[in-house]
Amino acid sequence: MQYRTIGNTTVSAVGLGAMPLSIEGRPDEERAVATVHAALDAGVTLIDTADSYHWHAGERGHNELLVARALARYGGDTSGVLVATKGGRGRPGDGSWTVTGTPAHLKRAAEASRKRLGVEAIGLYQLHKPDPAVPWADSVGALRELLDAGTIRAAGISNVDTARIREAHAILGDGLVSVQNQYSPAVRGSEPELRLSTELGLAFLPWSPLGGIARSSLDGPSGPTSAGTAFHRVAAERGVSPQQIALAWLLTRSPAMIPVPGASRPASIQDSARAAGLELSPAELARLDAVPPS
């Protein structure tokens, strides 16, 4: 397992995105807990959640509570696990997502998340998405207040452009430690944000890091085929999943990159975690770098 840093905290280079354990099509609790435990067994020390990761109305915090229960039931040491959560979005239960970035809401949400996670202070609290109805400085200012109050130990921002990163950095200083934007082999619109995060020493946690990579692209009537992109072909040559190749490639994009692939089965996160030990050759990287985004 490789390790990287988020602020002053060392974490595994590949984390666990816990959202699939609580949203539509989620597994039962036994399998969900087994998935978290499999991640820990594989050396994963970063778990990404949010108060809005749930399915039905009235379930706010479902994923946070699930992660807390899974950690409490784990037989090993979890003191080195960083749980990152997010606030500022909601799910009414009809499949839609809302955004609320008022300082009052964010401070209430953070305190509720802290209680659900059962911690004295949240290790990493991320503003889930800018609210167009609220000045960005006001929303980020709430994170500053949460840091000063000791409710959270570090702050992050998500779904942001470079201007918002710079403004948040000016307000939060060393308290800002991460940026979480969409980034994958198929979606690379956040290249400027990745470069700026690297420059400022902020961890970059790509959400949906496996976008454009489907395991079925390797499945033919006689087993693995050469169909799909270079990611699938390199995977077939290596005898590993295309997901592993995609994650290993992401890790080469920047030392700030820490992908958090989602998983709803133990085997999935175990496979993803192995990407942190997979070294790609210069020739393989050249082939993968040449694949255009979708």
Side-chain angles (χ1 to χ4, degrees), residues 153 254 279:
R153 292 197 173 95
S254 166
E279 185 173 347

Side-chain angles (χ1 to χ4, degrees), residues 170-209:
I171 294 169
L172 298 172
D174 291 343
L176 179 67
V177 299
S178 66
V179 171
Q180 188 167 34
N181 279 13
Q182 185 176 19
Y183 191 98
S184 70
V187 180
R188 304 182 208 169
S190 284
E191 287 282 3
E193 290 73 28
L194 173 59
R195 289 194 297 270
L196 180 58
S197 297
T198 306
E199 174 189 325
L200 295 176
L202 307 175
F204 188 88
L205 315 178
W207 60 265
S208 194

Side-chain angles (χ1 to χ4, degrees), residues 56-226:
H56 307 291
E59 286 191 325
R60 179 174 289 275
H62 181 281
N63 199 239
E64 292 172 324
L65 290 168
L66 174 64
V67 168
R69 288 194 297 272
L71 290 173
R73 290 167 55 183
Y74 187 63
D77 181 15
T78 60
S79 61
V81 176
L82 175 63
V83 177
T85 192
K86 295 179 285 293
R89 301 210 74 180
R91 299 199 75 195
D94 60 0
S96 67
W97 293 77
T98 59
V99 182
T100 307
T102 63
H105 172 81
L106 292 172
K107 287 184 281 188
R108 286 195 303 268
E111 180 59 25
S113 290
R114 185 192 68 78
K115 290 178 179 177
R116 283 190 290 264
L117 291 171
V119 295
E120 292 185 6
I122 297 171
L124 173 58
Y125 191 71
Q126 303 165 96
L127 179 54
H128 209 152
K129 188 176 183 178
D131 184 343
V134 179
W136 179 239
D138 290 356
S139 296
V140 175
L143 298 182
R144 178 72 268 170
E145 291 184 45
L146 289 166
L147 285 165
D148 293 342
T151 307
I152 66 175
R153 292 197 173 95
I157 51 178
S158 182
N159 298 299
V160 289
D161 57 18
T162 56
R164 286 191 171 99
I165 294 173
R166 291 188 185 280
E167 186 174 0
H169 189 255
I171 294 169
L172 298 172
D174 291 343
L176 179 67
V177 299
S178 66
V179 171
Q180 188 167 34
N181 279 13
Q182 185 176 19
Y183 191 98
S184 70
V187 180
R188 304 182 208 169
S190 284
E191 287 282 3
E193 290 73 28
L194 173 59
R195 289 194 297 270
L196 180 58
S197 297
T198 306
E199 174 189 325
L200 295 176
L202 307 175
F204 188 88
L205 315 178
W207 60 265
S208 194
L210 296 175
I213 301 296
R215 195 178 303 272
S216 60
S217 297
L218 274 177
D219 297 335
S222 302
T225 73
S226 60

